[in-house]
Amino acid sequence: MTSLKPTIPPLVKNEGGQVSRQIFTDPALYRVELDQVFGRAWLFLAHDTQLPKPGDFLNTFMGEDPILVIRQNDGSIKAFLNACTHRGPLLCQAEEGRAKTFQCTYHGWVFGIDGSLIDVRPEGEASYGARKAEFGLKSIRIESYKGLWFGNFDDETASLKDFLGDFTWYLDTIFDPLPTGVEFVGGTMRQRLKCNWKLAAENIVADTYHVFAAHAVAAGVNMSRATMRLPVGIEPGGPPGISATVSGHGWNAHSDGYGSYALFRDPKQWMAYVDRQRPRYIERLGAERAQFIGSSIDGGMFPNFLFVPGFTYRQIHPKGPDECEIWMWTVVDKELPDELKQEMVRFNARMLGTSGMFEMDDCANMERITTTLHGTLGRHQYSDYTMGQGLEARHEIYPGLVEKRISDNGFRGYYRRWAEYMQANSAKDIPPTENLRHKERSHG
Ligand code: FES
Ligand SMILES: [Fe+2]
């Protein structure tokens, strides 16, 4: 692997408070990122509910590698490099579906859902037929947490649980709020964007700040309609919340209990649902986390798995130094009534979907950043993430380094983590994810 260690410190300086814009455009750095960030971090692949039956598969990416994720006959999940082991063409070209076998379009090799090569024509001495066992699909190391499956390319990387560390305390709020769990509904929305993948990721991991300017019109149009239906005392946005970073994973949340429904056509039916469930959320998660549910939240797992509960959950796939693809899902409580599930899918498409009112605001700004990155002067400028610097502290309830929302605390944690991955000579050199208080907590 190429080592760029001598050039890394100036790229991220002042404890993540300043980041060279070179990291959003430099092709050599991008190549190192693919190996040292995407090659070492645990990357989201799929949720259990996307693959309910044996033979169900979906195609995704780890960095730029196409990955085929398949439900096995025994109910387990396997993941493979989606490339024929003969000469390498993309094996399965469908985005998702159900299959018994996968056949290569070039010389016709047939692979089973367990990745084994099961048919080569012609059979016979000169053929590959006798050597089928050598040519099974390249298997990917996978682990799961609360129904979420992740893949990792590096055998030296710590377990998924270690990678998540204390962040599970936050993650459980949105992926394990009830014993019945959550489900991904409505399929996957995808869009290409002319910007570096980190610009799209940082926006959700940490940038609550942009909402007031970037989304002023979209929020104004929708909120004025919605707030008329909100009860007195429940204002969209609610009271100040927290901005937390746990070794690069970020969590920004209010605790008003209802803010994420402020833009819905009929917030009251959503509020009635969370009110009905709130005692069960409290029982499962404790009062502080239960209060997050329904509140406006944005956050993400380093490096590229992001969530805005009540809007979309998403993953940013890199497609070159200044291009990326955003994949978006709707995630809901399994117990949510069907009509509300459908309403959530429609709402997400309208707001943060590919052509959503909010999404366009964000995409326009990310692409505008890209337009300034290629100049002689422009690429050596620094982006600033110093809001609230020095105010972050430990909190007796909330894990990680915590500040009052709104701050750049999450950005700084994210880019400090990015630098750690970029500087580490091997996966073993990456400092472990913070796990200081995890063991002391009664609920995870
Ligand atoms: S490249 Fe796939 S069968 Fe030859
Ligand atoms: Fe936004």
Side-chain angles (χ1 to χ4, degrees):
M1 284 177 192
T2 320
S3 173
L4 291 190
K5 195 169 178 179
T7 68
I8 297 301
L11 297 177
V12 175
K13 60 184 189 181
N14 188 16
E15 294 293 306
Q18 267 113 9
V19 170
S20 166
R21 293 182 192 153
Q22 215 178 325
I23 76 166
F24 302 124
T25 191
D26 187 291
L29 284 172
Y30 175 73
R31 191 62 245 171
V32 178
E33 268 181 341
L34 287 182
D35 290 343
Q36 298 193 189
V37 177
F38 290 92
R40 293 167 172 172
W42 284 98
L43 302 171
F44 175 67
L45 296 176
H47 187 260
D48 263 330
T49 56
Q50 293 177 286
L51 302 162
K53 299 225 168 96
D56 283 351
F57 69 86
L58 61 77
N59 261 312
T60 184
F61 290 90
M62 291 172 64
E64 290 208 29
D65 285 296
I67 304 294
L68 186 54
V69 188
I70 313 172
R71 177 75 68 184
Q72 302 296 296
N73 288 326
D74 65 1
S76 64
I77 295 277
K78 286 188 193 293
F80 306 98
L81 184 66
N82 185 14
C84 175
T85 46
H86 185 212
R87 306 254 168 91
L90 192 68
L91 177 64
C92 173
Q93 293 167 56
E95 288 169 346
E96 57 187 59
R98 185 172 300 156
K100 292 193 170 124
T101 57
F102 300 93
Q103 182 164 29
C104 180
T105 51
Y106 202 0
H107 308 94
W109 287 16
V110 179
F111 298 85
I113 62 171
D114 63 352
S116 60
L117 176 59
I118 56 177
D119 196 5
V120 174
R121 288 169 213 157
E123 291 286 351
E125 231 169 88
S127 159
Y128 288 98
R131 296 162 51 204
K132 289 203 280 272
E134 294 171 34
F135 290 98
L137 294 178
K138 171 75 182 157
S139 180
I140 308 297
R141 177 187 175 199
I142 57 171
E143 291 182 19
S144 72
Y145 182 79
K146 304 281 170 87
L148 301 161
W149 288 90
F150 295 83
N152 198 304
F153 285 142
D154 195 324
D155 291 338
E156 291 190 340
T157 302
S159 69
L160 173 64
K161 202 155 172 263
D162 287 341
F163 177 78
L164 295 171
D166 273 342
F167 195 63
T168 56
W169 192 84
Y170 296 110
L171 212 53
D172 290 352
T173 309
I174 52 177
F175 287 110
D176 193 30
L178 292 170
T180 43
V182 297
E183 71 180 306
F184 281 48
V185 291
T188 308
M189 294 185 280
R190 298 171 174 85
Q191 66 171 320
R192 282 275 179 137
L193 202 56
K194 292 273 184 206
C195 76
N196 183 269
W197 66 274
K198 294 186 293 302
L199 291 170
E202 64 161 43
N203 175 262
I204 308 282
V205 169
D207 202 328
T208 307
Y209 185 34
H210 78 287
V211 173
F212 306 100
H215 300 307
V217 173
V221 167
N222 289 279
M223 244 182 221
S224 56
R225 218 178 38 188
T227 46
M228 289 190 292
R229 300 183 180 87
L230 286 168
V232 176
I234 304 296
E235 294 298 329
I242 61 156
S243 163
T245 179
V246 181
S247 304
H249 309 313
W251 180 266
N252 311 279
H254 285 276
S255 53
D256 54 273
Y258 301 107
S260 72
Y261 306 121
L263 303 179
F264 278 74
R265 279 200 179 119
D266 181 7
K268 283 184 184 160
Q269 60 181 333
W270 294 89
M271 295 161 78
Y273 173 79
V274 292
D275 278 346
R276 195 167 72 246
Q277 297 286 18
R278 191 86 66 195
R280 297 173 72 207
Y281 295 146
I282 292 170
E283 190 187 350
R284 192 164 182 81
L285 300 164
E288 294 83 10
R289 287 187 292 177
Q291 196 59 25
F292 284 145
I293 299 177
S295 306
S296 54
I297 297 172
D298 59 278
M301 269 178 61
F302 182 86
N304 69 339
F305 182 44
L306 316 164
F307 22 81
V308 194
F311 291 83
T312 54
Y313 290 49
R314 52 184 59 202
Q315 189 168 27
I316 316 296
H317 295 297
K319 300 290 176 190
D322 42 27
E323 189 160 2
C324 64
E325 197 164 292
I326 306 180
W327 291 20
M328 292 164 275
W329 303 278
T330 298
V331 179
V332 292
D333 284 2
K334 267 189 192 160
E335 292 185 25
L336 191 71
D338 280 343
E339 65 271 19
L340 290 188
K341 287 179 183 171
Q342 291 316 311
E343 172 62 16
M344 183 73 88
V345 172
R346 286 193 296 271
F347 176 78
N348 281 346
R350 279 201 306 275
M351 296 297 164
L352 280 180
T354 305
S355 59
M357 294 176 74
F358 280 65
E359 189 68 10
M360 291 197 190
D361 297 334
D362 293 322
C363 294
N365 279 297
M366 289 162 202
E367 294 195 344
R368 272 176 209 134
I369 293 174
T370 306
T371 63
T372 74
L373 290 177
H374 292 277
T376 305
L377 207 53
R379 71 178 190 276
H380 294 297
Q381 301 303 301
Y382 279 79
S383 284
D384 194 274
Y385 304 98
T386 54
M387 183 163 48
Q389 191 160 29
L391 300 177
E392 59 272 46
R394 301 289 165 189
H395 192 281
E396 63 181 29
I397 296 169
Y398 306 118
L401 268 177
V402 180
E403 239 189 280
K404 269 191 192 157
R405 198 182 188 191
I406 293 164
S407 94
D408 291 340
N409 183 35
F411 287 107
R412 293 190 291 274
Y414 185 80
Y415 286 113
R416 284 195 301 269
R417 194 61 168 158
W418 179 85
E420 285 172 356
Y421 270 73
M422 293 293 279
Q423 290 178 87
N425 290 321
S426 78
K428 282 184 178 159
D429 295 335
I430 299 167
T433 299
E434 184 173 316
N435 201 7
L436 302 173
R437 306 168 68 194
H438 181 70
K439 294 182 189 80
E440 299 161 22
R441 292 171 192 283
S442 57
H443 257 294

